[in-house]
Amino acid sequence: DVLPPQVVLNQVVYGWYQDDPGAVIDVDFTNAGAGSMLSGAQYRVMGGPAAGLWRNITMDPANDFTDDWEIPWTLLAEGNNTVEIRTTDQAGNEEGTSDGTYVLKDTENPEVVVNQMSYGWWTSDPGRAVDVDFFNGGNGSLLDEAFYTVGDQEVLHMVFTDDTARFTEDWGLDFESLP
């Protein structure tokens, strides 16, 4: 048997996750119906608290392994985690990936920075005068949108709807909606 087993990437990117998603990694292993049985499969996270250590997915001999599997949440760093994957067969053949899949972890809240607390009295629309900035909180997912309300009004007013790590432009209020 000189044929290596195969790593089948059914999905490449997983996330953004705010908490442990459980067994969502859909990467399979097969001997492709030829050669010796699989002897095991392993992964390692390239970053985070246990960077570079190979961990077992399965060590049970089989022709195929198609169960979804998980990476312990505590092994993932905030942000984009590269996961390398390898499998071996009973003849010692190995197949692996150097950039197999990515798990995206985001547990940090976005940050709002109020640069100016008070704006005085306006008698007409001042345009883009509000100096409040938005940040994604580090290595996490991009900001999707920001809204504001005025007083106890239930109406949400849009600030932006861009996918961005930061929004630092001054922005305007819906002047007509102010009491």
Side-chain angles (χ1 to χ4, degrees), residues 1-6 30-38 87-95:
D1 177 13
V2 295
L3 297 174
Q6 296 175 352
T30 181
N31 71 356
S36 59
M37 295 176 68
L38 301 173
T87 186
T88 55
D89 64 19
Q90 291 179 337
N93 298 310
E94 182 177 302
E95 176 73 15

Side-chain angles (χ1 to χ4, degrees), residues 150-169:
V150 176
D152 60 358
Q153 295 178 1
E154 294 183 18
V155 176
L156 293 176
H157 301 278
M158 178 180 54
V159 176
F160 70 88
T161 59
D162 297 331
D163 288 337
T164 183
R166 61 185 352 182
F167 184 86
T168 57
E169 300 171 26

Side-chain angles (χ1 to χ4, degrees), residues 110-123:
E111 182 181 0
V112 177
V113 177
V114 178
N115 297 306
Q116 183 175 340
M117 295 296 290
S118 178
Y119 293 92
W121 294 96
W122 289 330
T123 56

Side-chain angles (χ1 to χ4, degrees), residues 96-128:
T97 65
S98 61
D99 59 351
T101 192
Y102 304 92
V103 180
L104 310 176
K105 179 179 180 178
D106 184 0
T107 61
E108 296 181 16
N109 290 325
E111 182 181 0
V112 177
V113 177
V114 178
N115 297 306
Q116 183 175 340
M117 295 296 290
S118 178
Y119 293 92
W121 294 96
W122 289 330
T123 56
S124 63
D125 188 345
R128 300 170 68 89

Side-chain angles (χ1 to χ4, degrees), residues 9 11-17 24-27 44-46 69 71 76 79-85 97-105:
L9 301 175
Q11 184 173 332
V12 176
V13 178
Y14 299 85
W16 289 96
Y17 296 114
V24 297
I25 308 298
D26 188 12
V27 175
R44 66 179 173 186
V45 179
M46 302 310 293
W69 46 277
I71 298 171
L76 299 172
N80 186 343
N81 292 271
T82 300
V83 180
E84 294 182 355
I85 302 161
T97 65
S98 61
D99 59 351
T101 192
Y102 304 92
V103 180
L104 310 176
K105 179 179 180 178

